[in-house]
Amino acid sequence: MLGFGLPPTEEGPTLSEDDDLGSDDIITEEMLWERIPETTGLERANTYYELSARIYARGQYDEALALAETARDIYTELGPVAPSDGLAQAYSAIGYNLNQLKRNSEAAYAMSKAVELLRESKSPLAIDLACTLGEWWFGSKNYEKTIECMRECVQEHLVEGNESGAANDLHLIGCAHRELDQHEKSLEAFREARVLFKNIKEVINVARCDQKIAHALVELGEGEEALSAAQKSVDVFVTAHDNRRETYSLFELGKAQIMVGAEEDGLDTLERVLETTAENEWKDFEFIVEIERRISDVLRSLGRVDEADEIDRRIASVTEVIED
């Protein structure tokens, strides 16, 4: 059976001793094309899959996709004669090519077929592809599917004793719940992930969880807890000189400060975040607008209405463009 489970390398999948594509000599792409008219059945399907992998490595995803789809069709026609892993590898190749072509939903569907087949055959490769599938469901904004997929991955990783894998699964689950505005569930997932990351001393990932825990707590109105979590994440990112993540943690810190009544401190923090964000060469206008709106709100609460009105006037011009 041809190797699969990760995007093919420049050399393509490794052929095993059981493959019928040739001898121990190096098989060129030209030789594979020449073999197609001479082969049938499983050997023909394997040849198409191997060609797809070679062409994928060159970045010709449309052509590689067509070859992978042909391999899938042949495996399907063979029925029980073909190993289920053969059909699974074809679906995974289809998924990788569709993903490169930015056809995210179709890629996730194809990969879900590969994962289903691999789980049926108890293949150890299923868990890695399932994790990839969860990321693709998230990328296609199908957050319910993300959660469903990654919940299975969490259990499998825990059974294997892979705390790092389970923690990353839980982190993605938390992100999906956050996108669905399910902040209590998001908080639970990030807290579970934090425990696992802390067990294995992954300091940056613990801080990433703290930043997202702070966000969930702010949304749930738990200012004091949010302030504590946000400060922890800021401390780690300052120490690590991770300026990008520090900026997002400071944003949560500023919101928490305002929530607990430290409005002047919160305003100073938000203005610091705005200055850092605005200095970036690439402008994240959605984030900038969100910061400015928070600043406007706190200015109003401090009685500085004219300044708040000026901010609202400016960001109205930006939001008009963003919304259009």
Side-chain angles (χ1 to χ4, degrees), residues 11-28:
E11 292 80 15
T14 302
L15 299 176
S16 73
E17 295 178 358
D18 297 329
D19 291 311
D20 297 323
L21 295 179
S23 66
D24 292 334
D25 296 334
I26 295 176
I27 301 172
T28 66

Side-chain angles (χ1 to χ4, degrees), residues 261-274:
E263 294 178 321
E264 292 286 359
D265 290 340
L267 179 60
D268 289 343
T269 302
L270 292 179
E271 287 178 338
R272 178 180 166 189
V273 173
L274 179 62

Side-chain angles (χ1 to χ4, degrees), residues 67-214:
L67 290 165
E69 289 175 331
T70 301
R72 175 204 58 194
D73 292 343
I74 297 172
Y75 286 126
T76 302
E77 289 170 3
L78 290 171
V81 175
S84 61
D85 282 5
L87 183 56
Q89 73 182 8
Y91 272 117
S92 70
I94 290 168
Y96 280 119
N97 283 289
L98 288 168
N99 186 61
Q100 291 290 346
L101 293 168
K102 309 302 180 186
R103 292 161 62 179
N104 295 339
S105 295
E106 294 172 81
Y109 173 76
M111 188 62 80
S112 69
K113 296 292 290 183
V115 171
E116 179 184 343
L117 289 164
L118 290 172
R119 281 190 166 141
E120 286 177 359
S121 66
K122 309 296 184 184
S123 171
L125 295 171
I127 181 64
D128 290 334
L129 291 192
C131 290
T132 298
L133 173 60
E135 293 170 2
W136 289 2
W137 281 131
F138 189 88
S140 64
K141 299 185 178 182
N142 194 327
Y143 304 119
E144 293 87 353
K145 285 283 190 183
T146 302
I147 295 164
E148 177 186 346
C149 178
M150 299 315 293
R151 278 294 175 196
E152 290 190 61
C153 293
V154 170
Q155 296 307 313
E156 292 176 25
H157 275 137
L158 289 176
V159 168
E160 294 176 356
N162 184 346
E163 288 190 321
S164 179
N168 281 295
D169 300 339
L170 285 162
H171 186 274
L172 187 55
I173 289 170
C175 291
H177 280 304
R178 186 173 67 172
E179 293 294 332
L180 294 169
D181 292 327
Q182 298 171 346
H183 299 297
E184 289 186 359
K185 292 181 178 179
S186 173
L187 178 60
E188 179 183 356
F190 287 129
R191 279 177 167 165
E192 289 181 39
R194 187 187 192 280
V195 169
L196 295 175
F197 281 132
K198 187 175 180 181
N199 286 345
I200 53 179
K201 313 298 183 185
E202 293 193 11
V203 179
I204 292 295
N205 282 328
V206 169
R208 290 174 66 214
C209 290
D210 280 331
Q211 183 262 325
K212 293 177 177 68
I213 286 169

Side-chain angles (χ1 to χ4, degrees), residues 251-294:
F251 183 51
E252 300 304 332
L253 179 64
K255 291 190 291 182
Q257 288 170 325
I258 293 165
M259 184 171 287
V260 300
E263 294 178 321
E264 292 286 359
D265 290 340
L267 179 60
D268 289 343
T269 302
L270 292 179
E271 287 178 338
R272 178 180 166 189
V273 173
L274 179 62
E275 181 180 0
T276 302
T277 305
E279 286 176 352
N280 292 336
E281 184 176 351
W282 181 79
K283 308 297 181 186
D284 185 346
F285 279 106
E286 290 186 359
F287 187 43
I288 290 172
V289 166
E290 187 177 357
I291 300 166
E292 293 255 42
R293 280 180 175 153
R294 297 276 181 174

